[in-house]
Amino acid sequence: MQAIREQGIDFILYIQSFHSPGLDQFFHAITQFGGAAYLFLIPLLVWCIAPRLGLRAALAMLVAQFLVMVLKDYFGQPRPFQVDPRIISDGEWGLSFPSGHAQGAMVYYGLIATVVARRWVTALLGVIIFLVGFSRAYLGVHYPHDVVAGWLIGAGLLYAWLTLEDSTASFFSRLSTEKRALLGVILPLAVAALHNAFYANPASYAIAGAVSGTIFSLASPSARSAFDERDRLWRKAARFALGMPLLFGLVRAMRYGWPTEPSLTLSMLTFVNGAVLMLFVGIAAPRLFGWIRLTPSQAH
């Protein structure tokens, strides 16, 4: 394993030998497609293009991110810039193996590419998946084997997701409303609590809450609507322009007055925070758009 890490450091140093301000800016931007950009991309897909696909891709990516968090905590590997001071990096919080950006991008963009099934979309998203992974090595925050492992695990998760999604959805649909609600909250919360008990990582509660909120959003009638040819570009732009400030305002408001020390209260607030954000994206915002006539069904 030490030999693999040393080869990885050599690879990082080699690609960083070509670094320039332009390349640095490019890869800092592209790496966000495996991280912060989801905050924009998920609402864009849900509100403006294909609600159900947007929520399905978000749920798959969130499950992948929870798994990668468990793997990171289990292996506990430091990032390459922490091991070799020659590596140029702005630094990043967290552990190294495997790459969550690479794994999440493979699942999120891979699911979209599979469902859309158009060559140009598959090619474009394939390039994004590759560049997100490559950017992690260029920025010195992951070894190449972290990235490759992320891609491989993500591909396996994507295959499993596509294989089991219909049967799992069918199982949930046969349950009573009360049982579905109970499973949609208790199961993610229990998994997060178990992970936190072993690794003391409260971030798992945020992902669990987001998973719970996405599950309820998928069960909502707003998720059953599909792309409507009557929908005008100005309405899509208006929904996004209205929804994003509200979403960011909600993000800021949710943290007001939170306790700073780890506690059961903080864990529950973190879970609720994740759930509320996805419920806003999947249910509250679409209903608001319909109420103010920013959807085709209301406009015609």
Side-chain angles (χ1 to χ4, degrees):
M1 191 64 185
Q2 182 61 32
I4 294 176
R5 280 196 290 266
E6 289 175 357
Q7 291 173 359
I9 289 174
D10 290 340
F11 176 80
I12 294 170
L13 292 173
Y14 174 73
I15 61 176
Q16 287 192 343
S17 68
F18 298 96
H19 91 95
S20 66
L23 273 180
D24 293 351
Q25 291 177 4
F26 172 77
F27 283 117
H28 273 110
I30 203 70
T31 204
Q32 298 307 319
F33 281 85
Y38 291 129
L39 193 58
F40 297 89
L41 296 174
I42 291 172
L44 179 66
L45 193 54
V46 174
W47 297 341
C48 305
I49 302 175
R52 184 166 181 79
L53 174 58
L55 291 170
R56 287 171 59 201
L59 183 58
M61 184 272 294
L62 287 166
V63 171
Q65 290 303 313
F66 184 84
L67 176 60
V68 85
M69 183 184 299
V70 173
L71 291 173
K72 281 176 180 286
D73 286 336
Y74 176 78
F75 288 104
Q77 295 299 307
R79 295 188 183 272
F81 71 86
Q82 296 171 320
V83 175
D84 194 315
R86 294 175 296 170
I87 293 175
I88 303 169
S89 181
D90 291 339
E92 190 167 308
W93 177 86
L95 298 167
S96 188
F97 182 85
S99 168
H101 280 63
Q103 181 174 316
M106 177 64 77
V107 172
Y108 183 77
Y109 300 113
L111 178 58
I112 295 172
T114 302
V115 172
V116 175
R118 294 183 181 178
R119 288 183 180 179
W120 71 269
V121 173
T122 300
L124 174 62
L125 296 181
V127 169
I128 291 175
I129 291 169
F130 171 77
L131 288 176
V132 166
F134 187 84
S135 73
R136 306 306 286 163
Y138 179 88
L139 296 173
V141 294
H142 279 295
Y143 295 96
H145 66 269
D146 296 341
V147 174
V148 173
W151 282 335
L152 292 175
I153 295 170
L157 283 173
L158 178 59
Y159 177 79
W161 188 272
L162 293 171
T163 302
L164 301 174
E165 184 182 22
D166 288 342
S167 58
T168 303
S170 177
F171 168 76
F172 268 85
S173 67
R174 292 194 298 268
L175 298 176
S176 65
T177 303
E178 293 78 10
K179 289 182 179 179
R180 274 184 285 173
L182 192 61
L183 275 178
V185 173
I186 296 300
L187 185 59
L189 188 58
V191 172
L194 183 63
H195 175 257
N196 191 51
F198 278 97
Y199 298 108
N201 190 344
S204 57
Y205 285 103
I207 297 179
V211 166
S212 183
T214 309
I215 290 172
F216 281 98
S217 295
L218 276 166
S220 169
S222 60
R224 299 185 189 123
S225 59
F227 177 76
D228 193 327
E229 294 293 342
R230 301 173 301 166
D231 205 357
R232 302 292 181 86
L233 182 60
W234 72 265
R235 276 199 295 262
K236 297 178 184 179
R239 293 198 294 267
F240 193 73
L242 173 63
M244 288 308 298
L246 294 176
L247 179 61
F248 281 115
L250 186 60
V251 170
R252 292 183 63 87
M254 290 291 291
R255 290 188 173 275
Y256 182 77
W258 276 27
T260 56
E261 296 297 324
S263 64
L264 179 61
T265 300
L266 179 60
S267 298
M268 293 301 99
L269 285 172
T270 304
F271 178 87
V272 170
N273 181 69
V276 168
L277 292 179
M278 287 308 302
L279 287 171
F280 174 80
V281 170
I283 298 179
R287 290 185 178 179
L288 172 64
F289 300 147
W291 181 64
I292 59 178
R293 299 182 182 274
L294 281 180
T295 57
S297 59
Q298 296 293 331
H300 290 266

